[in-house]
Amino acid sequence: MEYETYSAIAEYKKIHMKEAAKDHFQINQLHDSMFKQVLEISLKEIHARYGPPPSPFTFFVMGSAGRLEQSVWSDQDHGIIYLDPTAEAKAYFLSLGKEISKGLYQAGYPYCDGGVMAGNPFWCKAQSEWEKQILNWASESSWESLRYLLILIDGRSFYGQHQFMDHLKTFAYLTVQKEQILARIYKNTLHFKKGVGVLGQLLVETHGRHAGSLNIKETALFPYINAVRLLAMRNHVLETSTLSRLDQLQIHDKHLYKTMFLKLLTYRLQFASQLDYESGHYLPVEKLTKEQKNELKDIIKNGVALYQYAGKLIEKEG
C-alpha cells in the first residue's frame, strides 16, 4: 500500500485498527506500517524541498514504539542520528524531523507532550554530539538526565543506518559500566504503584475518572519493563522489546515472566478504547471475572519479584 497524503494514512489506520487490536503483535505491526508510510511521504517532501540527505543517518523510535509495546493509542517518541556534524546536516535533519512529526500527527499520532521528537534539536544530533550527550547524562546522574538516558536506550532504529543506533547503545552501556551508575539508575526507577494490597485485593483508583479501575501501566507494566531494561543494560543486550530482551537474558523463570508479560499486554488491549487515549492504561476491575482478577494478581506479583531480582543483582555488584 502506498499513500499520497498523511490524512489517507489516518483513514487506513481507523479502518484497520479494530481488527489489529485483537492481537499484540498485529497491532504493533500496524503501527510500524503507518510510521513507514508517513516516513516515505516525509522523505519525499524534504527531498523535493532541500535535495537528498547530506549525510548518512537513522531515524529511530523510542518509548512503547521503540519497545514494540504500543496499544490502540500511541503518541510520538522519536529522534535522528546523523553522521556528519555540519550546520548543513543539522538544518536538514531538523527539517526532516519536523516534517515527520507533522505527518505522524496528521496520521493520528499525538505530539509528545515532553517534546521527545526528531524536530527538537535535543533529539536530533550528529553521532559525536550524541556521544557527548550520553557522557553528560552519565556524569550528571540526576533523576532527569538518567530518565533521558533510559528513553534513549529504548530506541529502535526504524529507517536508515541501523548500526548508528547499535553503536550509540553500546557506547551508552559502556559509559554506564565505566561510571558505575547502574545502581543509581535502578534507584531512579524503584518507585511504582502498588497493585495488590496486604489482604490480597487489587488496589484500584479511588477517585477521578478512572475510579474503580486498576492502573496497569504503573502497577504492572512498569515493573516488568524497568526490570528487564536494567538487566539488558547490565548484559549489553541491544534488543528493545521486553519480550526480545528476556529471550537474550539468562535468568531463572524467564519463560514464566515472558508468559505473564504477554498476558498483561493482552489484557491491556482487551479493554482499550479507540476513543480514549488513557483507556489502555486502566482495567475496569468490576468487568473482570474472579479468574481474571487472580491472574492479574499473579502477573503483578511476578513483576514485582522480577524487579526485586534485578535490584539484588545490581546492588550486589555495586
Side-chain angles (χ1 to χ4, degrees), residues 194-204 214 285 293-294 297 300-301:
K194 208 172 169 193
V196 181
V198 284
L199 303 174
Q201 78 280 28
L202 287 169
L203 297 173
V204 298
L214 177 74
V285 169
K293 285 176 188 171
N294 287 334
K297 287 173 196 172
I300 291 167
K301 285 173 185 170

Side-chain angles (χ1 to χ4, degrees), residues 78-104:
H78 47 78
I80 290 175
I81 308 163
Y82 51 91
L83 194 58
D84 304 329
T86 62
E88 181 203 359
K90 183 174 271 304
Y92 186 96
F93 290 114
L94 278 172
S95 296
L96 176 61
K98 282 173 183 154
E99 183 63 32
I100 293 169
S101 299
K102 182 187 85 175
L104 286 169

Side-chain angles (χ1 to χ4, degrees), residues 56-58 81-83 127 161-168:
F57 75 101
T58 186
I81 308 163
Y82 51 91
L83 194 58
Q127 189 171 278
Q161 306 295 315
H162 301 320
Q163 70 270 24
F164 290 178
M165 192 75 231
D166 288 350
H167 168 86
L168 209 57

Side-chain angles (χ1 to χ4, degrees), residues 11 19-20 32 34 37 40 46 60 80 90-91 95 109 128 139-140 149 158 184 187 263 266 281 290-291 307 311 317:
E11 282 308 307
E19 186 57 36
D32 264 19
M34 300 296 93
Q37 289 295 322
E40 281 176 12
I46 295 300
F60 63 97
I80 290 175
K90 183 174 271 304
S95 296
Y109 295 91
S128 55
S139 64
E140 191 182 313
L149 186 61
F158 194 83
R184 188 185 278 267
K187 289 191 177 83
K263 278 182 178 175
T266 305
H281 301 159
K290 190 181 175 186
E291 288 73 24
Y307 196 82
E317 291 163 4

Side-chain angles (χ1 to χ4, degrees), residues 86-305:
T86 62
E88 181 203 359
K90 183 174 271 304
Y92 186 96
F93 290 114
L94 278 172
S95 296
L96 176 61
K98 282 173 183 154
E99 183 63 32
I100 293 169
S101 299
K102 182 187 85 175
L104 286 169
Y105 178 76
Q106 289 180 15
Y109 295 91
Y111 291 120
C112 170
D113 287 342
V116 183
M117 295 178 287
N120 177 351
F122 196 76
W123 296 100
C124 179
K125 298 181 195 289
Q127 189 171 278
S128 55
E129 293 173 328
W130 272 116
E131 288 174 6
K132 277 183 203 154
Q133 182 67 78
I134 287 167
L135 291 170
N136 288 343
W137 283 337
S139 64
E140 191 182 313
S141 280
S142 67
W143 185 87
E144 190 177 40
S145 64
L146 294 180
R147 186 174 70 90
Y148 288 144
L149 186 61
L150 294 180
I151 290 170
L152 182 70
I153 280 166
D154 280 349
R156 171 170 64 100
S157 178
F158 194 83
Y159 177 93
Q161 306 295 315
H162 301 320
Q163 70 270 24
F164 290 178
M165 192 75 231
D166 288 350
H167 168 86
L168 209 57
K169 274 197 202 178
T170 303
F171 183 84
Y173 290 162
L174 291 169
T175 303
V176 165
Q177 194 179 330
K178 189 182 167 197
E179 298 292 325
Q180 298 181 314
I181 55 170
L182 197 57
R184 188 185 278 267
I185 292 171
Y186 165 68
K187 289 191 177 83
N188 226 40
T189 57
L190 190 58
H191 305 290
F192 42 82
K193 268 192 171 183
K194 208 172 169 193
V196 181
V198 284
L199 303 174
Q201 78 280 28
L202 287 169
L203 297 173
V204 298
E205 299 293 296
T206 52
H207 54 275
R209 56 190 287 241
H210 297 292
S213 290
L214 177 74
N215 182 336
I216 56 162
K217 185 180 182 182
E218 293 184 23
T219 61
L221 284 162
F222 278 175
Y224 284 96
I225 291 166
N226 292 343
V228 175
R229 189 199 292 114
L230 284 163
L231 293 170
M233 290 170 78
R234 177 181 174 265
N235 293 281
H236 292 209
V237 171
L238 296 175
E239 299 285 348
T240 53
S241 86
T242 303
L243 293 169
S244 301
R245 283 169 169 168
L246 277 167
D247 277 336
Q248 298 289 315
L249 293 166
Q250 300 302 314
I251 60 170
H252 186 57
D253 284 339
K254 174 164 75 175
H255 180 70
L256 170 74
Y257 295 131
K258 277 188 72 179
T259 305
M260 292 279 152
F261 188 68
L262 193 50
K263 278 182 178 175
L264 181 59
L265 294 172
T266 305
Y267 270 113
R268 185 180 64 167
L269 276 184
Q270 198 178 334
F271 293 96
S273 155
Q274 287 196 55
L275 304 171
D276 178 10
Y277 177 75
E278 287 196 335
S279 64
H281 301 159
Y282 293 90
L283 287 190
V285 169
E286 77 280 358
K287 290 185 182 173
L288 302 175
T289 64
K290 190 181 175 186
E291 288 73 24
Q292 287 174 320
K293 285 176 188 171
N294 287 334
E295 189 169 57
L296 266 171
K297 287 173 196 172
D298 277 347
I299 290 169
I300 291 167
K301 285 173 185 170
N302 277 293
V304 172

Side-chain angles (χ1 to χ4, degrees), residues 1-10 12 37-38 40-42 44-45 99 103 106:
M1 63 180 181
E2 200 164 311
Y3 292 99
E4 296 295 316
T5 65
Y6 300 128
S7 51
I9 299 170
Y12 180 91
Q37 289 295 322
V38 165
E40 281 176 12
I41 297 176
S42 299
K44 277 183 198 163
E45 180 65 34
E99 183 63 32
Q106 289 180 15

